[in-house]
Amino acid sequence: MIEFMSSLSPLVQTIIATLFTWGMTALGAALVFSTKNVNQKLMDGMLGFAGGVMIAASFWSLLAPALSMAESGPLPAWMPSAIGFMLGGIFLWSADNVLPHLNPNMPPTEAEGVNPQKRKRSTLLVLAITMHNIPEGLAVGVAFGSVATGNPEASIAGAVALAIGMGIQNFPEGTAVSMPLRRDGMSRAKSFYYGQLSGAVEPIAAIVGVLAVTVMEPLLPYALSFAAGAMIFVVAEEVIPGSQENGNKDLASMWLMIGFTIMMILDVALG
């Protein structure tokens, strides 16, 4: 697979990788065709796992390469990473306060953003997961773009590992949208449609990322760190609290550690 991906252009690599991550979102949403409910412990464990994958990817696939790349620049190596990381968090914080959305398993009264009461529950749920997927898609695009620049700190295997990790953690996100809609009485087909729709933004964000860094290579450490900061904000603000709010704290925490370990192994072994 690595050899096949290496033979393609960075843009095609990115599109293939994010079609996979989108497909994993759809696969998670497809559970709605076989059941109306998912065991809450299983759901909380999957969310914890997703959080672990995102934390590991933020460091091993994004921040660590960004720090290494910045060592040859005119600024202290920590500065581009620190600036990009904080900007990523600020971007997601701003989006969280503006974009109307409803996190899975939350009552409609706790919807956030501007005028959320004017939106349907299905729209609010899709927008919530879409917000999560923007930094994930951006991270994959930037990873493949960094390989295209010829940077020695980047590798096609590492970019593929990141895409695999993002795809794995997208599975519970698709489920987290489709299942609540099915429980609300929506048809299986519509519940699946809205569940997979939240992953459609990843190819778009990834294309923006790969084009940006291939055109403006000096931005690479900032772009990698930006994606990392945005993902860490999502994990801290929504994924971890969401996995523990039903009382399964130990279970969710252990699955977070498992997710972190698997993503670390993927990145180190393949990258």
Side-chain angles (χ1 to χ4, degrees), residues 66-192:
L67 286 165
S68 297
M69 292 173 189
E71 288 178 354
S72 59
L75 299 173
W78 55 265
M79 188 173 291
S81 295
I83 292 172
F85 186 82
M86 289 306 301
L87 286 177
I90 291 169
F91 170 76
L92 257 293
W93 172 77
S94 301
D96 192 62
N97 283 277
V98 174
L99 191 69
H101 64 283
L102 176 65
N103 296 320
N105 299 321
M106 300 297 288
T109 54
E110 295 193 25
E112 300 175 305
V114 177
N115 296 324
Q117 65 276 7
K118 294 183 179 180
R119 307 280 182 173
K120 293 181 179 179
R121 175 176 166 84
S122 57
T123 302
L124 292 172
L125 284 169
V126 171
L127 288 174
I129 303 300
T130 297
M131 236 181 357
H132 297 185
N133 287 340
I134 290 174
E136 295 165 17
L138 182 64
V140 173
V142 170
F144 281 102
S146 64
V147 176
T149 64
N151 196 295
E153 301 298 332
S155 70
I156 188 68
V160 169
L162 177 61
I164 292 172
M166 293 297 96
I168 291 172
Q169 68 89 38
N170 274 358
F171 184 90
E173 291 188 346
T175 306
V177 175
S178 63
M179 286 302 177
L181 296 178
R182 178 60 181 158
R183 287 196 296 267
D184 287 349
M186 186 175 286
S187 70
R188 294 182 190 275
K190 278 192 173 182
S191 298
F192 167 76

Side-chain angles (χ1 to χ4, degrees), residues 1-8 13 16-17 20 144 156-157 159-161 163-164 266 270:
M1 182 178 66
I2 302 299
E3 291 182 3
F4 168 72
M5 292 292 282
S6 299
S7 66
L8 304 174
Q13 291 170 349
I16 291 174
F20 164 73
F144 281 102
I156 188 68
V160 169
I164 292 172
L266 275 175
L270 294 180

Side-chain angles (χ1 to χ4, degrees), residues 5-6 12 14 19 24 54 58 61 67 77 88 103 129 142 155 187 196 204 238 242 266 268:
M5 292 292 282
S6 299
V12 175
T14 302
L19 285 177
M24 290 297 290
M54 293 174 75
S58 295
S61 299
L67 286 165
N103 296 320
I129 303 300
V142 170
S155 70
S187 70
Q196 63 81 34
I204 299 171
E238 294 181 7
L266 275 175
V268 175

